[in-house]
Amino acid sequence: MRLVIARCSVDYAGRLTAHLPLAPRLILVKADGSVSIHADDRAYKPLNWMSPPCTLKEGEAEGTPVWTVVNKGGEKLVITMEEVLHDSSHELGVDPGLIKDGVEAHLQELLADRLDTLGEGYTLIRREYMTAIGPVDILCRDGEGRTVAIELKRQGGIDGVEQLTRYLELLNRDPHLAPVRGIFAAQEIKPQARVLATDRGIDCAILDYDALRGIEDDKLRLF
């Protein structure tokens, strides 16, 4: 991972245009090729980013370092560095990934075995479907043959919706899978997360752990 702290301005051109005026920012360049720009007041969420696959070219314009990041769709992120305050690279190695707690892992196993609770004709592609940014909990097809990505949580918050959104953005770039729709599934979903999911066209599903284990009614409620 490369960490750069610089006074920079950023211009994005793609489906829309956006401009970040000159200010000190953190730029992360990860081994998977992604580039993200962060401020000091947005928690984990970047101000702007380019997901892999993309290419980074370092150049100059009138003596000022300029980074140009382009993805396969032709979208472009141009970072103009007025002053570089820090530039370092670190080898993090292979990450072992997130280890889910027992209930969440069991929910994934149960739902993968009982996809019919989502509706007729659902079939499993695989659990823990690996992408460049992490594994999708369940990837399957619905009764109409469309690809569906499912993100599972015990308690569903905004972070989970954001995570599924990133997976969907990446999966929909694969012509063998697209179009891919999402289902955010949890034992409890917070109201703000439900609003955000609905706004992004993501279905929400409330999981009944006992029902999936066959103890109670096995209906899965989609909202």
Side-chain angles (χ1 to χ4, degrees):
M1 178 183 290
R2 185 177 178 186
L3 308 176
V4 177
I5 299 175
R7 293 181 64 250
C8 63
S9 60
V10 183
D11 291 280
Y12 166 80
R15 291 165 292 182
L16 47 81
T17 59
H19 174 72
L20 295 174
L22 185 66
R25 298 186 176 93
L26 168 65
I27 304 166
L28 300 181
V29 183
K30 295 186 179 181
D32 63 4
S34 63
V35 179
S36 56
I37 298 124
H38 299 258
D40 206 17
D41 64 345
R42 302 294 180 93
Y44 67 90
K45 189 173 183 179
L47 296 166
N48 214 326
W49 69 93
M50 195 70 80
S51 300
C54 57
T55 58
L56 167 61
K57 181 182 291 186
E58 298 185 43
E60 287 190 359
E62 299 181 353
T64 300
V66 175
W67 288 10
T68 303
V69 187
V70 182
N71 67 15
K72 66 178 183 180
E75 296 171 297
K76 185 182 296 186
L77 199 62
V78 179
I79 308 169
T80 303
M81 314 272 197
E82 293 294 333
E83 181 182 8
V84 177
L85 305 173
H86 175 86
D87 188 344
S88 64
S89 296
H90 307 270
E91 180 58 54
L92 302 185
V94 178
D95 190 90
L98 178 67
I99 299 175
K100 298 179 182 293
D101 66 48
V103 172
E104 194 169 318
H106 197 206
L107 278 171
Q108 182 190 115
E109 180 182 352
L110 288 169
L111 186 57
D113 287 340
R114 303 186 65 185
L115 285 173
D116 59 303
T117 56
L118 292 170
E120 292 185 7
Y122 274 76
T123 56
L124 180 68
I125 296 176
R126 70 172 296 172
R127 292 168 51 196
E128 299 290 329
Y129 183 89
M130 187 55 64
T131 74
I133 56 174
V136 177
D137 286 330
I138 294 175
L139 194 70
C140 60
R141 295 195 187 278
D142 63 18
E144 299 178 12
R146 297 173 299 180
T147 310
V148 182
I150 304 173
E151 180 63 28
L152 290 164
K153 300 292 182 186
R154 288 186 67 184
Q155 291 190 329
I158 287 177
D159 288 357
V161 178
E162 294 282 7
Q163 183 180 359
L164 179 53
T165 300
R166 292 192 293 272
Y167 287 144
L168 290 171
E169 180 182 354
L170 192 62
L171 291 168
N172 272 301
R173 296 178 183 177
D174 186 338
H176 299 293
L177 298 175
V180 185
R181 67 181 183 91
I183 295 178
F184 186 51
Q187 290 178 284
E188 177 186 352
I189 298 177
K190 296 180 179 178
Q192 300 94 329
R194 188 183 297 279
V195 170
L196 181 61
T198 301
D199 182 68
R200 295 183 177 180
I202 295 172
D203 291 326
C204 290
I206 299 298
L207 299 176
D208 187 322
Y209 185 48
D210 288 336
L212 284 172
R213 292 164 63 201
I215 295 176
E216 296 179 3
D217 182 75
D218 64 355
K219 298 294 184 183
L220 189 67
R221 298 185 297 277
L222 286 173
F223 298 90

